[in-house]
Amino acid sequence: DDDPDDLAARRWRPSRSVCFAVSRPKAREIHAAAFADRVVHHLLVPELETYFEPIFIHDLYSNRTGKGTHAAVRHLAHFMRRAMANGERPAWFLQLDVRNFFNSIDHAILKGLLRRRLDRARADPGRRASLLWLAGQVIDGAQQVVYGGDPRLLARVPPYKRLAEAGPGRGLPIGNLTSQFF
C-alpha cells in the first residue's frame, strides 16, 4: 500500500488512527497512529527540532532529548528547596493543567506559527516548503478513525474530552473524524 516515493512526491496521507480508551488514572481516549505514520513522525520531529530547540527555555522538559519527567521532577525539587530555604520558610506552589488543551488547538494558527518560525530561522525555501507540507499533513491528520477496545469504556470519556467533539480544524493529532467500531 505505502509507496516509498509518496513522501518525495507529496502523495503521502496519514492512515486512519485507532482510538481506544484507558481508565487509569482516569477515563481518557488514546489515538494511536499507524506504524508507517509513526515512522513519518520520527522523520519530521528531528527536522522541526533544529528550528525550535534554540528558542526553547531551559525549563521546558516535555519531549526533549536529555529532559523528560524525571529531570523535570529533579529540577522542581531543586526550586522548591530553594524557595523554602531547605524547609526554613513557607512557600506557595500552584499546580495547574490547561483543560482540554490539545483538543482546542486551532490547526490554522498552529500552521501559521510554524510558518513564522521557519521564516524567522531563514529556513532554506525548499526545505521550508517540504516541512510545511509534511507538518500540515500530520497536523490535519487522518480523516478517519477506527474505534477499538470496549465501547463502554470509551463512553465513560466525557464528551468535552473527546477529540471527535473538538470540531473541524481543531485538536491534535487528527481533525475531522468519521468512525466505525472494529
Side-chain angles (χ1 to χ4, degrees):
D1 238 12
D2 292 325
D3 181 344
D5 295 326
D6 281 349
L7 280 175
R10 294 190 182 178
R11 290 186 305 257
W12 177 81
R13 299 290 181 270
S15 303
R16 293 187 296 179
S17 65
V18 176
C19 175
F20 58 94
V22 295
S23 60
R24 293 195 176 120
K26 58 187 171 185
R28 63 188 175 100
E29 65 178 12
I30 304 292
H31 286 260
F35 179 78
D37 293 351
R38 294 292 298 143
V39 171
V40 173
H41 300 167
H42 282 278
L43 169 76
L44 180 61
V45 168
E47 292 292 320
L48 293 177
E49 281 177 346
T50 62
Y51 296 100
F52 283 94
E53 189 65 33
I55 64 170
F56 286 158
I57 63 169
H58 174 76
D59 292 318
L60 178 62
Y61 287 88
S62 180
N63 297 307
R64 290 179 70 196
T65 303
K67 299 280 184 162
T69 304
H70 295 290
V73 169
R74 281 192 301 275
H75 208 66
L76 174 63
H78 165 77
F79 279 126
M80 290 173 66
R81 282 191 301 276
R82 207 162 105 193
M84 297 172 62
N86 287 325
E88 297 296 317
R89 67 175 176 243
W92 294 92
F93 303 92
L94 173 66
Q95 177 184 345
L96 62 96
D97 189 11
V98 177
R99 181 179 172 180
N100 223 21
F101 175 73
F102 285 106
N103 288 0
S104 68
I105 293 174
D106 183 289
H107 294 186
I109 292 172
L110 180 60
K111 289 187 279 188
L113 291 169
L114 176 58
R115 191 176 304 105
R116 277 198 302 266
R117 178 65 200 135
L118 294 175
D119 289 345
R120 286 186 183 144
R122 294 187 171 96
D124 171 77
R127 185 177 177 130
R128 175 190 180 277
S130 293
L131 288 172
L132 289 174
W133 172 80
L134 186 54
Q137 295 301 311
V138 171
I139 291 167
D140 291 333
Q143 297 301 306
Q144 294 184 359
V145 60
V146 175
Y147 289 93
D150 185 347
R152 293 170 297 179
L153 185 55
L154 196 58
R156 290 179 37 203
V157 177
Y160 72 91
K161 290 186 161 262
R162 301 289 311 275
L163 194 55
E165 303 297 323
R170 292 197 174 277
L172 292 180
I174 52 181
N176 304 319
L177 305 177
T178 60
S179 64
Q180 65 187 48
F181 276 94
F182 68 84

